[in-house]
Amino acid sequence: MAVPLNKRRASKDEEAVEALELELLLEAVYRHYGYDFRNYARTSIRRRIAKLLSEEGLVTVSGLQERVLHDASAWDRFLQGISVSVSAMFRDPHFFLAFRRRAVPLLRTYPFIRIWQAGCSLGEEAYSLAILLEEEGLYDRSLIYATDINEATLRQAREAIFPADLMQKYTQNYLASGGQQSFSEYYTARYEYAVMRPALKRDIVFSQHNLVSDGAFNEFNVILCRNVMIYFDRSLQNRVHELFHESLEMFGVIGLGHKESMRFTPFEDRFEDLDAAERLYRKVR
Ligand SMILES: C[S@@+](CC[C@H](N)C(=O)[O-])C[C@H]1O[C@@H](n2cnc3c(N)ncnc32)[C@H](O)[C@@H]1O
């Protein structure tokens, strides 16, 4: 059942109006800015919009639509609010442990490794992957294409600067992911920031790519897209699965987020499990 965006008790009529306003907002954003959020999962979109309404001091979704269409800075805030950028280095460390154990031995057989990390947020996952590949002696022959819909987060990702107070958590994650070095070797502390070692950037290309509307742009040995499709409805998830299947070479590896799966999708028979619990699969047809 739809929950009123502004938390007050809404009549069925008000709920229907609110649902209509939401559809109109997403349609307007698509037509005016070309960003298509129409097939994002409604529950999470509603949560995001409710948060934006309160941050903007607005009461109605129509009010938000008017502001987003007429005020460029409101549009920036809207894009930032809708594209959830929560991430962490070595997030879900057991995924990276499984990647080291199950995917790395396969990657050793390739002369050159092309990786697409889709939905890279501020680059936390791309830098984690660079560290892992460096430790496994594979980084020199790897190229990581790290993409995101959001140009503002990509600009930050290229900087490779993170708040220093996150480093303790990232160190724990790194160690739990099978990391053998001292994590502090990978960054320099500068006041309240940690600057990642520049060498880690050398084989990462950050660029904009929208999973909703953009197509395949290369053939990859590995695709990681974690905690992104969770925000999409089923039809959009299917589209992205097809895009990934098309973009992955035979026996290529794909890694998804903990709440995502290749099972029970139209593409499930094209992938076999490398580590089902960690959502690591390999394309087999
Ligand atoms: C929750 S973060 C996940 C970051 C990282 N993959 C992780 O697991 O920690 C979701 C990211 O997906 C991006 N995103 C959302 N919609 C997208 C789309 N249509 N195309 C590409 N990236 C998208 C957001 O901008 C955000 O950076």
Side-chain angles (χ1 to χ4, degrees):
M1 198 184 77
V3 179
L5 286 169
N6 57 9
K7 287 194 177 152
R8 75 192 143 73
R9 274 191 179 281
S11 68
K12 281 256 172 297
D13 222 30
E14 285 173 316
E15 275 178 25
V17 169
E18 225 163 49
L20 173 63
E21 286 181 296
L22 187 57
E23 300 312 310
L24 292 173
L25 167 67
L26 300 181
E27 188 65 35
V29 161
Y30 173 56
R31 292 215 202 161
H32 192 64
Y33 293 108
Y35 283 80
D36 190 355
F37 297 109
R38 294 173 301 175
N39 288 102
Y40 278 46
R42 280 295 172 272
T43 325
S44 110
I45 280 276
R46 290 175 65 82
R47 211 180 302 127
R48 299 278 135 207
I49 298 288
K51 189 158 178 281
L52 277 165
L53 284 179
S54 114
E55 286 166 1
E56 297 284 330
L58 291 167
V59 179
T60 64
V61 179
S62 311
L64 182 62
Q65 173 175 325
E66 188 185 348
R67 190 171 289 177
V68 163
L69 290 182
H70 295 284
D71 173 348
S73 65
W75 160 242
D76 289 343
R77 293 193 296 277
F78 178 87
L79 189 56
Q80 210 58 38
I82 292 288
S83 52
V84 187
S85 57
V86 179
S87 190
M89 288 213 194
F90 295 96
R91 180 180 190 178
D92 306 321
H94 287 103
F95 170 85
F96 286 91
L97 191 60
F99 190 89
R100 271 187 206 264
R101 288 184 177 156
R102 307 304 311 274
V104 162
L106 303 174
L107 302 184
R108 288 198 193 291
T109 63
Y110 297 127
F112 193 73
I113 306 160
R114 285 182 309 276
I115 300 173
W116 179 12
Q117 205 258 295
C120 66
S121 192
L122 302 177
E124 297 90 335
E125 220 176 357
Y127 291 116
S128 308
L129 206 50
I131 290 170
L132 187 157
L133 292 168
E134 173 96 327
E135 291 184 356
E136 298 294 338
L138 294 176
Y139 196 38
D140 279 340
R141 50 178 151 128
S142 302
L143 189 56
I144 302 172
Y145 292 88
T147 63
D148 203 280
I149 188 179
N150 190 332
E151 189 53 61
T153 60
L154 287 166
R155 272 197 298 277
Q156 257 182 278
R158 289 186 197 104
E159 301 270 298
I161 300 174
F162 297 92
D165 58 8
L166 294 177
M167 292 301 128
Q168 194 181 353
K169 175 70 186 154
Y170 290 177
T171 302
Q172 287 166 2
N173 284 357
Y174 163 77
L175 293 173
S177 78
Q180 302 285 330
Q181 316 287 322
S182 162
F183 187 65
S184 60
E185 284 175 22
Y186 294 111
Y187 64 87
T188 309
R190 258 192 228 149
Y191 304 103
E192 67 269 39
Y193 293 104
V195 183
M196 300 312 290
R197 224 172 63 195
L200 290 173
K201 287 193 209 177
R202 72 179 184 270
D203 291 318
I204 306 178
V205 178
F206 286 103
S207 57
Q208 196 177 31
H209 180 281
N210 187 340
L211 290 166
V212 180
S213 48
D214 295 332
F217 60 96
N218 209 330
E219 211 175 44
F220 296 95
N221 308 106
V222 178
I223 296 178
L224 294 193
C225 183
R226 301 170 63 230
N227 310 301
V228 181
M229 282 184 279
I230 195 175
Y231 300 107
F232 297 171
D233 72 9
R234 187 52 72 99
S235 70
L236 184 52
Q237 287 172 3
N238 289 345
R239 180 207 189 260
V240 178
H241 287 153
E242 186 173 0
L243 172 67
F244 287 159
H245 180 263
E246 189 187 328
S247 304
L248 206 53
E249 68 156 43
M250 192 55 81
F251 305 121
V253 172
I254 183 161
L256 307 178
H258 257 177
K259 293 185 186 147
E260 297 153 343
S261 178
M262 273 298 171
R263 297 291 145 240
F264 311 108
T265 75
F267 282 81
E268 72 171 329
D269 65 337
R270 319 274 181 100
F271 294 91
E272 68 176 24
D273 295 340
L274 269 186
D275 187 325
E278 294 305 328
R279 308 299 197 247
L280 207 50
Y281 309 93
R282 181 158 81 141
K283 174 172 164 177
V284 287
R285 59 180 70 85

